[in-house]
């Protein structure tokens, strides 16, 4: 694909097929993403991939935690407990309303897909050292976006989801992540299930009006 096609085709996938993604392809994507810029060339990121039996065991353990009402304990601050500013809060409210309309007959499907980690055949967990400046979180975001665009370019679907890092201790256990690293985020990758109702149609939330986010001074 050319860059415009890749960029315009980037959207989340809510259910993947059972088709496996070759580990070599994921490794090549992550290796290419290493070209991402970072503060002082710090390259603070690391990528841990779960697939096959290890992923199946992780999913099973995470579902058991969820069913038993185990409280999430993300390494980063819980999304729901953050004190959001008015501007992003209003954007999230709009998103919530539009999402509720879109999922009006699919909420159960989405809840089930989320619980089962979207049937992903592979999940990439991204970390930074605990001893990191806040800037490293920005670097991690750049690295993550590079991974997602490179995956889309290969014809894969992607799903960056907060829910998959709800239990970082489980992530560490099954992915072999040391205690001195924060489990920052997770990206599920796989082939899009085009027959899944939850994927049809593609849901892309409206963007904030450009004049609200852009200002130029001459």
């Amino acid at each position: 694909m050319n860059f415009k096609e890749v960029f315009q085709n980037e959207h989340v996938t809510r259910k993947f097929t059972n088709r496996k993604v070759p580990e070599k392809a994921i490794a090549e994507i992550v290796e290419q993403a290493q070209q991402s810029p970072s503060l002082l060339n710090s390259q603070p990121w690391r990528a841990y991939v779960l697939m096959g039996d290890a992923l199946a065991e992780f999913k099973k353990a995470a579902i058991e935690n969820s069913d038993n009402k185990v409280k999430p304990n993300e390494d980063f601050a819980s999304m729901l407990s953050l004190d959001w500013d008015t501007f992003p809060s209003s954007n999230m409210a709009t998103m919530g309303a539009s999402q509720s309309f879109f999922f009006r007959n699919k909420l159960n499907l989405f809840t089930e897909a989320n619980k089962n980690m979207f049937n992903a055949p592979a999940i990439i967990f991204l970390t930074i050292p605990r001893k990191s400046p806040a800037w490293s979180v920005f670097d991690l975001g750049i690295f993550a976006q590079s991974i997602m665009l490179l995956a889309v370019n290969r014809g894969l679907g992607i799903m960056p989801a907060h829910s998959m890092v709800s239990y970082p201790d489980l992530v560490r256990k099954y992915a072999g992540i040391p205690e001195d690293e924060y489990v920052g985020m997770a990206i599920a990758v796989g082939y899009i299930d085009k027959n899944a109702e939850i994927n049809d149609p593609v849901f892309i939330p409206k963007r904030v009006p450009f004049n609200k986010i852009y200002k130029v001074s001459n």
Side-chain angles (χ1 to χ4, degrees):
M1 297 185 200
N2 63 41
F3 179 76
K4 184 177 181 181
E5 288 177 313
V6 172
F7 194 76
Q8 291 181 337
N9 281 325
E10 185 188 27
H11 59 80
V12 299
T13 295
R14 293 177 293 278
K15 187 175 182 181
F16 299 95
T17 68
N18 292 326
R19 180 182 172 187
K20 295 181 179 179
V21 178
E23 188 274 329
K24 181 181 178 181
I26 296 177
E28 289 174 351
I29 287 169
V30 174
E31 185 175 17
Q32 290 176 320
Q34 285 185 273
Q35 296 299 317
S36 303
S38 60
L39 178 66
L40 300 174
N41 195 36
S42 55
Q43 302 178 63
W45 49 68
R46 281 181 171 79
Y48 297 81
V49 180
L50 276 183
M51 53 199 317
D53 292 341
L55 177 57
E57 290 298 315
F58 168 69
K59 288 182 178 180
K60 180 181 177 181
I63 289 173
E64 287 179 358
N65 271 9
S66 178
D67 288 346
N68 291 326
K69 308 298 182 184
V70 176
K71 186 178 180 180
N73 61 329
E74 301 94 328
D75 282 347
F76 288 178
S78 174
M79 177 181 66
L80 299 179
S81 67
L82 295 177
D83 185 16
W84 296 91
D85 185 75
T86 303
F87 179 61
S89 292
S90 62
N91 296 335
M92 287 188 290
T94 301
M95 165 64 178
S98 59
Q99 190 175 48
S100 297
F101 176 77
F102 176 77
F103 286 125
R104 58 193 179 280
N105 295 319
K106 303 178 183 179
L107 187 57
N108 289 338
L109 291 176
F110 179 78
T111 300
E112 186 67 18
N114 185 53
K115 182 177 181 179
N116 289 287
M117 300 186 189
F118 315 99
N119 197 44
I123 300 177
I124 306 170
F125 292 93
L126 304 181
T127 75
I128 57 173
R130 287 185 184 272
K131 192 176 180 180
S132 294
W135 199 268
S136 291
V137 178
F138 178 74
D139 292 338
L140 189 67
I142 296 174
F143 183 58
Q145 175 70 333
S146 296
I147 287 173
M148 291 188 286
L149 290 174
L150 287 161
V152 171
N153 188 52
R154 283 179 173 254
L156 297 170
I158 52 95
M159 169 56 92
H162 172 264
S163 58
M164 294 186 291
V165 295
S166 294
Y167 304 111
D169 290 343
L170 289 181
V171 179
R172 287 190 181 86
K173 176 181 177 180
Y174 290 98
I177 300 173
E179 288 291 335
D180 62 356
E181 294 177 27
Y182 281 129
V183 178
M185 65 178 298
I187 304 170
V189 295
Y191 295 96
I192 301 171
D193 186 346
K194 296 182 179 178
N195 294 318
E197 183 182 356
I198 194 65
N199 284 334
D200 184 32
V202 173
F203 174 65
I204 300 178
K206 291 182 179 180
R207 302 293 94 180
V208 173
F210 183 64
N211 61 6
K212 285 193 173 184
I213 64 106
Y214 182 78
K215 180 180 179 180
V216 61
S217 301
N218 293 316

